[in-house]
Amino acid sequence: MTLRSSFLYAFRLLFASRHSNGRKSLLGAMLCIGISLIPLIAVLCVSDGMISGITGRIIGLSTQDISVFHSGTNEFTSDLGALKKYSSEIKNIEGVKQVFMEVNNTVLVSANNYRKGATIRAVEQDVFERNQSFNNLFSVIEGSVGLKNERSAVICQKIAQDLNVHAGDRITLITANKIRRNVILPKTAVFTVEGIVSCGYQELDALWIFIPLSSGFSFLPDLSSDYIVKVQTENSFSADLIKTKHLIADYDCSADVYTWNELNKSQFENFSSTRILLMLIMLLIVLVASINISSALIMIVLERRKEIAILKSIGGNAKGISFSFLIMGCFAGMGGLIIGLPIGLLSSAHINKIISASESAINFCTKIVYLLEKKDFSSYNSVHLLDPAYYLQNIPISMPVKELLIIVAGTVFLSLAASVLPSLKAGKEKPLDTLRKI
Protein backbone atom coordinates (compact mmCIF):
# COMPACT_ATOMS: atom_id res chain seq x y z
CA MET A 1 0.00 0.00 0.00
CA THR A 2 1.18 3.51 -0.79
CA LEU A 3 1.03 6.41 1.62
CA ARG A 4 -1.85 7.88 -0.38
CA SER A 5 -3.87 4.68 -0.22
CA SER A 6 -3.36 4.50 3.56
CA PHE A 7 -4.76 8.00 3.90
CA LEU A 8 -7.68 7.16 1.60
CA TYR A 9 -8.55 4.07 3.62
CA ALA A 10 -8.35 6.00 6.91
CA PHE A 11 -10.61 8.68 5.38
CA ARG A 12 -13.11 6.01 4.30
CA LEU A 13 -13.19 4.47 7.78
CA LEU A 14 -13.78 7.87 9.36
CA PHE A 15 -16.39 9.31 6.98
CA ALA A 16 -18.11 6.33 5.33
CA SER A 17 -21.88 6.43 5.37
CA ARG A 18 -22.08 2.93 6.84
CA HIS A 19 -23.28 2.74 10.43
CA SER A 20 -20.36 2.00 12.79
CA ASN A 21 -20.32 1.78 16.58
CA GLY A 22 -16.54 1.90 16.51
CA ARG A 23 -16.56 5.19 14.64
CA LYS A 24 -19.04 6.62 17.14
CA SER A 25 -16.73 5.50 19.95
CA LEU A 26 -13.79 7.20 18.21
CA LEU A 27 -15.73 10.47 17.89
CA GLY A 28 -16.68 10.10 21.55
CA ALA A 29 -13.01 9.65 22.46
CA MET A 30 -12.20 12.79 20.45
CA LEU A 31 -14.87 14.71 22.38
CA CYS A 32 -13.52 13.38 25.70
CA ILE A 33 -10.03 14.60 24.82
CA GLY A 34 -11.43 18.02 23.92
CA ILE A 35 -13.37 18.26 27.20
CA SER A 36 -10.33 17.14 29.24
CA LEU A 37 -8.15 19.77 27.55
CA ILE A 38 -10.44 22.63 28.60
CA PRO A 39 -9.63 22.49 32.36
CA LEU A 40 -5.96 21.70 31.61
CA ILE A 41 -5.54 24.86 29.52
CA ALA A 42 -7.62 26.94 31.95
CA VAL A 43 -5.55 25.76 34.94
CA LEU A 44 -2.33 26.44 33.03
CA CYS A 45 -3.30 29.98 32.01
CA VAL A 46 -4.90 30.91 35.34
CA SER A 47 -2.09 29.51 37.52
CA ASP A 48 0.57 31.10 35.33
CA GLY A 49 -1.23 34.44 35.43
CA MET A 50 -1.84 34.19 39.18
CA ILE A 51 1.80 33.34 39.94
CA SER A 52 3.04 36.07 37.57
CA GLY A 53 0.66 38.61 39.14
CA ILE A 54 1.68 37.80 42.72
CA THR A 55 5.37 37.63 41.80
CA GLY A 56 5.16 40.99 40.02
CA ARG A 57 3.56 42.60 43.07
CA ILE A 58 6.11 41.14 45.48
CA ILE A 59 8.99 42.32 43.31
CA GLY A 60 7.61 45.69 42.29
CA LEU A 61 5.97 46.72 45.57
CA SER A 62 8.02 44.95 48.23
CA THR A 63 11.57 43.83 47.51
CA GLN A 64 12.42 45.30 44.10
CA ASP A 65 15.06 43.26 42.25
CA ILE A 66 17.78 43.57 44.89
CA SER A 67 17.54 44.73 48.51
CA VAL A 68 20.54 46.12 50.39
CA PHE A 69 19.96 45.88 54.16
CA HIS A 70 21.60 47.73 57.03
CA SER A 71 20.32 47.03 60.56
CA GLY A 72 20.94 49.78 63.09
CA THR A 73 22.83 52.99 62.47
CA ASN A 74 26.28 53.25 60.92
CA GLU A 75 28.11 55.69 58.70
CA PHE A 76 25.70 54.99 55.83
CA THR A 77 22.46 55.25 57.83
CA SER A 78 23.25 57.75 60.58
CA ASP A 79 20.92 60.34 59.07
CA LEU A 80 18.87 61.02 55.95
CA GLY A 81 21.73 62.81 54.19
CA ALA A 82 24.08 59.85 54.69
CA LEU A 83 21.51 57.40 53.32
CA LYS A 84 20.90 59.62 50.27
CA LYS A 85 24.63 59.76 49.56
CA TYR A 86 24.95 56.01 50.00
CA SER A 87 22.03 55.30 47.64
CA SER A 88 23.49 57.60 44.98
CA GLU A 89 26.73 55.60 45.14
CA ILE A 90 24.79 52.34 44.77
CA LYS A 91 23.02 53.79 41.74
CA ASN A 92 26.36 54.24 39.95
CA ILE A 93 27.11 50.50 40.09
CA GLU A 94 26.87 48.64 36.80
CA GLY A 95 23.44 47.09 36.16
CA VAL A 96 21.55 49.37 38.57
CA LYS A 97 18.73 51.28 36.90
CA GLN A 98 17.07 53.01 39.86
CA VAL A 99 17.25 53.00 43.68
CA PHE A 100 14.67 53.65 46.38
CA MET A 101 15.43 54.37 50.04
CA GLU A 102 13.36 52.95 52.89
CA VAL A 103 13.34 52.58 56.65
CA ASN A 104 11.21 49.65 57.84
CA ASN A 105 9.94 48.59 61.24
CA THR A 106 6.98 46.86 62.86
CA VAL A 107 4.58 48.96 64.91
CA LEU A 108 1.19 48.81 66.60
CA VAL A 109 -1.49 50.92 64.89
CA SER A 110 -4.46 52.26 66.84
CA ALA A 111 -7.63 53.98 65.63
CA ASN A 112 -11.32 53.96 66.59
CA ASN A 113 -10.62 51.63 69.53
CA TYR A 114 -9.11 49.04 67.15
CA ARG A 115 -5.48 47.92 67.21
CA LYS A 116 -3.44 46.06 64.65
CA GLY A 117 0.19 45.20 63.94
CA ALA A 118 1.61 46.62 60.72
CA THR A 119 4.85 47.19 58.88
CA ILE A 120 5.82 50.82 58.64
CA ARG A 121 7.59 51.72 55.42
CA ALA A 122 9.20 55.13 55.55
CA VAL A 123 9.65 56.04 51.87
CA GLU A 124 10.57 58.98 49.72
CA GLN A 125 7.65 61.39 49.33
CA ASP A 126 7.53 61.03 45.53
CA VAL A 127 7.87 57.22 45.47
CA PHE A 128 4.30 56.70 44.21
CA GLU A 129 5.11 58.80 41.14
CA ARG A 130 8.77 57.84 40.61
CA ASN A 131 8.37 54.10 41.07
CA GLN A 132 6.51 52.74 38.04
CA SER A 133 5.45 49.59 39.91
CA PHE A 134 3.83 51.69 42.65
CA ASN A 135 2.17 53.83 40.00
CA ASN A 136 0.83 50.85 38.01
CA LEU A 137 0.02 48.26 40.67
CA PHE A 138 -1.44 50.40 43.45
CA SER A 139 -4.98 51.62 42.89
CA VAL A 140 -6.21 54.56 44.97
CA ILE A 141 -9.35 53.60 46.91
CA GLU A 142 -9.75 56.87 48.83
CA GLY A 143 -7.92 60.21 49.01
CA SER A 144 -4.55 60.60 47.31
CA VAL A 145 -1.07 59.09 47.54
CA GLY A 146 0.71 62.35 48.26
CA LEU A 147 2.81 62.29 51.44
CA LYS A 148 2.35 66.05 51.91
CA ASN A 149 4.07 66.51 55.25
CA GLU A 150 5.91 64.63 57.99
CA ARG A 151 2.67 63.48 59.62
CA SER A 152 1.01 62.16 56.44
CA ALA A 153 0.38 58.46 55.90
CA VAL A 154 -0.87 56.25 53.10
CA ILE A 155 -2.31 52.94 54.27
CA CYS A 156 -3.36 49.76 52.52
CA GLN A 157 -7.01 48.81 52.18
CA LYS A 158 -7.10 45.76 54.48
CA ILE A 159 -5.56 47.72 57.36
CA ALA A 160 -8.06 50.54 56.76
CA GLN A 161 -10.93 48.03 56.90
CA ASP A 162 -9.61 46.42 60.11
CA LEU A 163 -9.21 49.83 61.79
CA ASN A 164 -12.40 51.30 60.26
CA VAL A 165 -10.59 54.42 59.06
CA HIS A 166 -11.00 56.56 55.94
CA ALA A 167 -9.02 59.25 54.17
CA GLY A 168 -8.68 62.25 56.48
CA ASP A 169 -8.87 60.19 59.70
CA ARG A 170 -6.04 60.01 62.20
CA ILE A 171 -4.15 56.94 63.31
CA THR A 172 -1.72 56.48 66.19
CA LEU A 173 1.50 54.57 65.65
CA ILE A 174 3.08 52.98 68.70
CA THR A 175 6.64 51.68 68.78
CA ALA A 176 9.41 51.05 71.31
CA ASN A 177 11.54 54.09 72.00
CA LYS A 178 14.40 52.61 73.98
CA ILE A 179 15.11 50.06 76.66
CA ARG A 180 16.29 51.00 80.15
CA ARG A 181 16.89 48.28 82.72
CA ASN A 182 14.71 45.82 80.81
CA VAL A 183 11.86 48.33 80.63
CA ILE A 184 10.39 49.10 77.20
CA LEU A 185 9.40 52.73 76.84
CA PRO A 186 6.68 53.26 74.21
CA LYS A 187 6.79 56.06 71.69
CA THR A 188 3.68 57.29 69.91
CA ALA A 189 2.99 59.55 66.97
CA VAL A 190 -0.26 60.64 65.32
CA PHE A 191 -0.48 60.56 61.52
CA THR A 192 -3.24 61.71 59.17
CA VAL A 193 -4.41 59.24 56.54
CA GLU A 194 -3.96 61.01 53.21
CA GLY A 195 -5.00 58.02 51.10
CA ILE A 196 -5.99 54.37 51.06
CA VAL A 197 -4.51 52.12 48.37
CA SER A 198 -4.82 48.51 47.27
CA CYS A 199 -2.58 46.29 45.16
CA GLY A 200 -5.33 43.68 44.67
CA TYR A 201 -3.54 41.12 46.85
CA GLN A 202 -4.92 41.05 50.37
CA GLU A 203 -1.87 39.41 51.91
CA LEU A 204 0.15 42.52 51.04
CA ASP A 205 -2.72 44.93 51.70
CA ALA A 206 -2.79 43.72 55.32
CA LEU A 207 0.84 44.70 55.92
CA TRP A 208 1.86 48.19 54.92
CA ILE A 209 1.59 51.77 56.12
CA PHE A 210 3.65 54.35 54.22
CA ILE A 211 5.05 57.46 55.91
CA PRO A 212 7.65 60.01 54.73
CA LEU A 213 11.30 58.96 54.97
CA SER A 214 12.16 61.92 57.22
CA SER A 215 9.48 60.73 59.71
CA GLY A 216 11.05 57.30 59.70
CA PHE A 217 14.38 58.71 60.85
CA SER A 218 12.77 60.80 63.59
CA PHE A 219 10.10 58.36 64.82
CA LEU A 220 11.30 54.79 64.28
CA PRO A 221 13.85 53.36 66.76
CA ASP A 222 17.38 53.14 65.37
CA LEU A 223 18.46 49.75 66.68
CA SER A 224 15.44 47.71 65.54
CA SER A 225 14.84 49.39 62.16
CA ASP A 226 16.03 48.14 58.79
CA TYR A 227 17.61 50.74 56.52
CA ILE A 228 17.14 49.48 52.98
CA VAL A 229 18.24 50.60 49.55
CA LYS A 230 16.04 48.79 47.05
CA VAL A 231 17.58 48.36 43.62
CA GLN A 232 15.72 48.16 40.33
CA THR A 233 17.48 46.63 37.31
CA GLU A 234 16.58 46.36 33.65
CA ASN A 235 15.19 42.83 34.00
CA SER A 236 14.15 41.09 37.22
CA PHE A 237 14.61 37.67 35.62
CA SER A 238 17.95 38.31 33.92
CA ALA A 239 21.00 36.16 34.65
CA ASP A 240 22.90 39.44 35.19
CA LEU A 241 20.94 39.97 38.43
CA ILE A 242 23.44 37.83 40.37
CA LYS A 243 26.33 39.77 38.84
CA THR A 244 24.81 43.08 39.99
CA LYS A 245 24.23 41.62 43.45
CA HIS A 246 27.90 40.62 43.75
CA LEU A 247 29.06 44.05 42.59
CA ILE A 248 26.95 45.70 45.32
CA ALA A 249 28.20 43.22 47.93
CA ASP A 250 31.81 43.89 46.90
CA TYR A 251 31.23 47.64 47.18
CA ASP A 252 29.75 47.41 50.69
CA CYS A 253 30.88 44.34 52.62
CA SER A 254 28.94 45.43 55.74
CA ALA A 255 25.53 45.19 54.02
CA ASP A 256 23.30 42.17 53.61
CA VAL A 257 22.44 41.94 49.90
CA TYR A 258 19.63 39.69 48.63
CA THR A 259 17.84 39.21 45.32
CA TRP A 260 14.04 39.06 45.21
CA ASN A 261 13.95 35.27 44.77
CA GLU A 262 16.23 34.73 47.75
CA LEU A 263 13.97 36.79 50.00
CA ASN A 264 10.86 34.89 48.89
CA LYS A 265 12.35 31.48 48.11
CA SER A 266 9.90 29.33 50.10
CA GLN A 267 6.85 31.14 48.74
CA PHE A 268 7.90 30.79 45.11
CA GLU A 269 8.82 27.14 45.58
CA ASN A 270 5.33 26.59 46.98
CA PHE A 271 3.81 28.32 43.95
CA SER A 272 5.84 26.18 41.54
CA SER A 273 5.12 22.86 43.28
CA THR A 274 1.37 23.64 43.44
CA ARG A 275 1.31 24.53 39.75
CA ILE A 276 3.17 21.33 38.78
CA LEU A 277 0.81 19.21 40.91
CA LEU A 278 -2.26 20.77 39.25
CA MET A 279 -0.77 20.20 35.81
CA LEU A 280 -0.03 16.54 36.56
CA ILE A 281 -3.61 15.95 37.72
CA MET A 282 -4.98 17.57 34.56
CA LEU A 283 -2.57 15.58 32.36
CA LEU A 284 -3.79 12.36 33.96
CA ILE A 285 -7.32 13.28 32.87
CA VAL A 286 -6.07 13.76 29.28
CA LEU A 287 -4.25 10.41 29.50
CA VAL A 288 -7.43 8.63 30.58
CA ALA A 289 -9.34 10.31 27.74
CA SER A 290 -6.66 9.21 25.26
CA ILE A 291 -7.03 5.56 26.29
CA ASN A 292 -10.58 5.73 24.91
CA ILE A 293 -8.99 6.00 21.44
CA SER A 294 -7.46 2.57 21.89
CA SER A 295 -10.76 0.90 22.75
CA ALA A 296 -12.52 2.71 19.89
CA LEU A 297 -9.93 1.57 17.34
CA ILE A 298 -10.16 -2.02 18.58
CA MET A 299 -13.91 -1.88 17.92
CA ILE A 300 -13.27 -0.57 14.39
CA VAL A 301 -10.73 -3.36 13.74
CA LEU A 302 -13.28 -5.97 14.82
CA GLU A 303 -15.97 -4.37 12.65
CA ARG A 304 -13.69 -4.11 9.60
CA ARG A 305 -11.98 -7.52 9.73
CA LYS A 306 -13.62 -8.50 6.44
CA GLU A 307 -12.41 -5.33 4.68
CA ILE A 308 -8.91 -5.76 6.08
CA ALA A 309 -8.82 -9.38 4.87
CA ILE A 310 -9.92 -8.37 1.36
CA LEU A 311 -7.32 -5.56 1.27
CA LYS A 312 -4.59 -7.97 2.24
CA SER A 313 -5.71 -10.54 -0.29
CA ILE A 314 -5.41 -7.99 -3.14
CA GLY A 315 -1.94 -6.77 -2.12
CA GLY A 316 -2.40 -4.51 0.91
CA ASN A 317 0.45 -4.86 3.39
CA ALA A 318 0.45 -4.81 7.20
CA LYS A 319 2.38 -1.52 7.43
CA GLY A 320 -0.09 0.35 5.22
CA ILE A 321 -3.12 -0.91 7.15
CA SER A 322 -1.49 -0.18 10.51
CA PHE A 323 -0.63 3.30 9.29
CA SER A 324 -4.29 3.91 8.36
CA PHE A 325 -5.35 3.19 11.95
CA LEU A 326 -2.55 5.40 13.31
CA ILE A 327 -3.91 8.19 11.12
CA MET A 328 -7.34 7.72 12.69
CA GLY A 329 -5.85 7.89 16.20
CA CYS A 330 -3.96 11.04 15.27
CA PHE A 331 -7.18 12.48 13.81
CA ALA A 332 -8.99 11.88 17.10
CA GLY A 333 -6.22 13.67 19.02
CA MET A 334 -6.15 16.59 16.59
CA GLY A 335 -9.94 16.81 16.68
CA GLY A 336 -9.80 16.95 20.48
CA LEU A 337 -7.30 19.80 20.22
CA ILE A 338 -9.54 21.68 17.77
CA ILE A 339 -12.40 21.37 20.27
CA GLY A 340 -10.55 21.88 23.55
CA LEU A 341 -7.85 24.45 22.72
CA PRO A 342 -10.06 27.40 21.63
CA ILE A 343 -12.69 26.71 24.32
CA GLY A 344 -9.95 26.45 26.98
CA LEU A 345 -8.33 29.71 25.86
CA LEU A 346 -11.72 31.44 25.69
CA SER A 347 -12.60 30.20 29.18
CA SER A 348 -9.26 31.43 30.50
CA ALA A 349 -9.73 34.87 28.95
CA HIS A 350 -13.09 35.25 30.73
CA ILE A 351 -12.23 33.37 33.92
CA ASN A 352 -12.96 36.36 36.18
CA LYS A 353 -16.48 36.67 34.74
CA ILE A 354 -17.01 32.90 34.99
CA ILE A 355 -15.92 32.83 38.64
CA SER A 356 -18.07 35.86 39.45
CA ALA A 357 -21.12 34.34 37.75
CA SER A 358 -20.55 31.00 39.49
CA GLU A 359 -20.25 32.69 42.89
CA SER A 360 -23.47 34.64 42.26
CA ALA A 361 -25.33 31.47 41.26
CA ILE A 362 -24.06 29.53 44.29
CA ASN A 363 -24.90 32.36 46.69
CA PHE A 364 -28.36 32.76 45.14
CA CYS A 365 -29.13 29.06 45.58
CA THR A 366 -27.76 29.07 49.12
CA LYS A 367 -29.94 32.05 50.05
CA ILE A 368 -33.00 30.24 48.74
CA VAL A 369 -32.11 27.28 50.98
CA TYR A 370 -31.79 29.71 53.92
CA LEU A 371 -35.26 31.08 53.15
CA LEU A 372 -36.80 27.63 52.87
CA GLU A 373 -35.24 26.52 56.14
CA LYS A 374 -36.08 29.90 57.76
CA LYS A 375 -32.55 30.47 58.91
CA ASP A 376 -31.17 33.80 60.08
CA PHE A 377 -29.50 35.69 57.21
CA SER A 378 -27.15 37.41 59.65
CA SER A 379 -25.27 34.13 60.02
CA TYR A 380 -24.81 33.74 56.26
CA ASN A 381 -21.32 34.20 54.83
CA SER A 382 -20.98 34.68 51.09
CA VAL A 383 -19.23 31.89 49.22
CA HIS A 384 -15.95 32.77 47.48
CA LEU A 385 -14.53 30.23 45.04
CA LEU A 386 -11.15 31.97 45.30
CA ASP A 387 -10.78 33.55 48.74
CA PRO A 388 -9.38 37.10 48.23
CA ALA A 389 -7.38 36.64 51.44
CA TYR A 390 -5.10 34.21 49.58
CA TYR A 391 -5.50 35.07 45.90
CA LEU A 392 -5.55 38.13 43.70
CA GLN A 393 -8.92 39.88 43.56
CA ASN A 394 -8.75 39.89 39.75
CA ILE A 395 -6.79 37.14 38.07
CA PRO A 396 -4.38 38.39 35.39
CA ILE A 397 -4.49 35.95 32.50
CA SER A 398 -1.27 34.75 30.90
CA MET A 399 -0.99 32.73 27.69
CA PRO A 400 2.23 30.67 28.07
CA VAL A 401 2.97 29.79 24.44
CA LYS A 402 5.70 27.22 25.19
CA GLU A 403 3.54 25.27 27.61
CA LEU A 404 0.59 25.37 25.20
CA LEU A 405 2.79 23.95 22.43
CA ILE A 406 3.91 21.19 24.81
CA ILE A 407 0.24 20.38 25.51
CA VAL A 408 -0.48 20.21 21.76
CA ALA A 409 2.51 17.95 21.12
CA GLY A 410 1.75 15.84 24.20
CA THR A 411 -1.89 15.31 23.19
CA VAL A 412 -0.91 14.19 19.69
CA PHE A 413 1.77 11.89 21.16
CA LEU A 414 -0.68 10.31 23.64
CA SER A 415 -3.21 9.80 20.85
CA LEU A 416 -0.60 8.06 18.70
CA ALA A 417 0.65 5.99 21.62
CA ALA A 418 -2.90 4.84 22.39
CA SER A 419 -3.33 3.89 18.72
CA VAL A 420 -0.22 1.72 18.42
CA LEU A 421 -1.59 -1.59 19.77
CA PRO A 422 -4.90 -1.50 17.83
CA SER A 423 -2.98 -0.52 14.67
CA LEU A 424 -0.56 -3.43 15.06
CA LYS A 425 -3.52 -5.73 15.67
CA ALA A 426 -5.13 -4.51 12.43
CA GLY A 427 -1.91 -5.07 10.51
CA LYS A 428 -1.52 -8.61 11.90
CA GLU A 429 -4.99 -9.73 10.86
CA LYS A 430 -4.74 -13.02 8.87
CA PRO A 431 -6.90 -12.80 5.74
CA LEU A 432 -7.30 -16.57 5.25
CA ASP A 433 -8.66 -17.12 8.74
CA THR A 434 -11.07 -14.24 8.36
CA LEU A 435 -12.29 -15.20 4.86
CA ARG A 436 -12.93 -18.82 5.94
CA LYS A 437 -15.42 -17.53 8.51
CA ILE A 438 -17.41 -15.51 5.96
Side-chain angles (χ1 to χ4, degrees):
M1 290 177 69
T2 63
L3 183 64
R4 183 171 178 271
S5 60
S6 295
F7 272 101
L8 287 173
Y9 184 53
F11 183 84
R12 183 181 183 281
L13 291 175
L14 287 168
F15 301 105
S17 58
R18 175 184 167 183
H19 173 77
S20 171
N21 290 325
R23 187 173 59 196
K24 288 181 179 179
S25 297
L26 188 65
L27 294 175
M30 180 177 69
L31 184 62
C32 288
I33 291 174
I35 293 172
S36 65
L37 283 172
I38 295 171
L40 173 61
I41 293 168
V43 166
L44 174 66
C45 295
V46 169
S47 62
D48 196 73
M50 185 79 77
I51 292 170
S52 299
I54 294 174
T55 302
R57 281 160 174 78
I58 290 174
I59 297 172
L61 304 179
S62 180
T63 64
Q64 296 298 318
D65 299 336
I66 300 172
S67 295
V68 185
F69 287 86
H70 281 278
S71 296
T73 56
N74 53 40
E75 60 176 311
F76 302 120
T77 61
S78 56
D79 55 47
L80 181 55
L83 186 61
K84 284 183 178 179
K85 182 181 178 183
Y86 176 71
S87 64
S88 64
E89 292 168 354
I90 294 292
K91 189 175 181 180
N92 292 327
I93 294 175
E94 181 185 351
V96 176
K97 179 183 177 182
Q98 205 166 13
V99 295
F100 304 97
M101 299 175 288
E102 281 193 26
V103 181
N104 289 0
N105 208 323
T106 303
V107 301
L108 183 67
V109 192
S110 175
N112 299 322
N113 295 320
Y114 295 99
R115 292 178 179 82
K116 180 180 175 63
T119 298
I120 287 292
R121 296 179 61 180
V123 296
E124 299 163 77
Q125 289 178 287
D126 62 346
V127 70
F128 284 92
E129 291 79 29
R130 196 162 62 88
N131 189 326
Q132 288 300 313
S133 296
F134 276 52
N135 199 359
N136 295 332
L137 297 176
F138 274 128
S139 56
V140 181
I141 308 301
E142 290 184 34
S144 64
V145 292
L147 296 171
K148 300 175 182 178
N149 54 63
E150 290 194 355
R151 286 295 178 261
S152 296
V154 173
I155 68 176
C156 286
Q157 186 180 28
K158 185 65 171 72
I159 296 179
Q161 291 173 350
D162 291 341
L163 297 175
N164 192 26
V165 298
H166 301 275
D169 293 345
R170 293 186 176 184
I171 57 175
T172 302
L173 306 183
I174 306 168
T175 185
N177 187 16
K178 61 180 76 172
I179 299 176
R180 291 180 181 173
R181 297 179 182 179
N182 297 324
V183 177
I184 300 175
L185 302 178
K187 183 178 183 180
T188 64
V190 177
F191 286 79
T192 301
V193 177
E194 297 291 343
I196 298 172
V197 297
S198 173
C199 67
Y201 185 35
Q202 201 172 106
E203 188 172 329
L204 298 181
D205 281 348
L207 292 178
W208 298 329
I209 295 177
F210 298 92
I211 63 174
L213 190 59
S214 55
S215 299
F217 273 90
S218 61
F219 170 65
L220 298 176
D222 299 337
L223 296 178
S224 61
S225 296
D226 287 324
Y227 297 82
I228 313 171
V229 175
K230 297 185 176 181
V231 175
Q232 191 180 83
T233 63
E234 289 292 342
N235 185 356
S236 306
F237 301 93
S238 171
D240 293 333
L241 196 64
I242 300 298
K243 177 184 175 182
T244 306
K245 172 196 168 181
H246 289 318
L247 289 174
I248 295 172
D250 291 340
Y251 171 77
D252 181 9
C253 299
S254 64
D256 296 318
V257 186
Y258 301 99
T259 59
W260 64 267
N261 48 357
E262 291 172 337
L263 290 171
N264 302 281
K265 184 177 180 181
S266 60
Q267 189 170 11
F268 294 127
E269 285 180 351
N270 182 41
F271 288 158
S272 299
S273 60
T274 302
R275 181 171 179 265
I276 291 170
L277 182 62
L278 286 170
M279 292 291 294
L280 284 174
I281 293 171
M282 295 297 106
L283 281 171
L284 285 175
I285 298 173
V286 177
L287 177 60
V288 172
S290 300
I291 293 173
N292 290 331
I293 295 175
S294 182
S295 60
L297 289 178
I298 289 173
M299 288 184 65
I300 294 174
V301 171
L302 294 174
E303 289 177 350
R304 303 287 179 161
R305 291 183 71 184
K306 179 181 175 181
E307 286 186 10
I308 294 170
I310 294 172
L311 277 175
K312 280 198 166 185
S313 65
I314 61 174
N317 55 38
K319 289 183 179 179
I321 294 171
S322 295
F323 188 65
S324 295
F325 281 85
L326 281 175
I327 292 170
M328 286 195 290
C330 183
F331 169 82
M334 294 295 291
L337 282 169
I338 292 171
I339 295 170
L341 190 61
I343 297 176
L345 292 174
L346 194 64
S347 301
S348 301
H350 297 88
I351 193 66
N352 289 300
K353 294 179 181 178
I354 293 171
I355 291 174
S356 178
S358 301
E359 287 179 350
S360 299
I362 292 170
N363 285 309
F364 177 76
C365 294
T366 308
K367 287 177 181 178
I368 291 176
V369 173
Y370 262 66
L371 284 172
L372 293 174
E373 295 183 357
K374 297 181 179 179
K375 291 184 178 180
D376 184 11
F377 265 114
S378 61
S379 63
Y380 176 73
N381 293 319
S382 297
V383 175
H384 295 286
L385 296 180
L386 294 177
D387 193 333
Y390 306 103
Y391 302 98
L392 295 176
Q393 293 174 2
N394 287 300
I395 302 171
I397 303 305
S398 173
M399 300 294 177
V401 177
K402 289 183 180 179
E403 285 83 352
L404 289 173
L405 291 175
I406 291 172
I407 288 174
V408 170
T411 302
V412 174
F413 173 78
L414 287 174
S415 302
L416 288 172
S419 307
V420 170
L421 290 178
S423 300
L424 292 176
K425 179 178 174 60
K428 290 178 180 179
E429 284 289 327
K430 296 179 180 179
L432 290 178
D433 292 343
T434 302
L435 292 173
R436 284 195 191 102
K437 297 175 183 178
I438 298 175

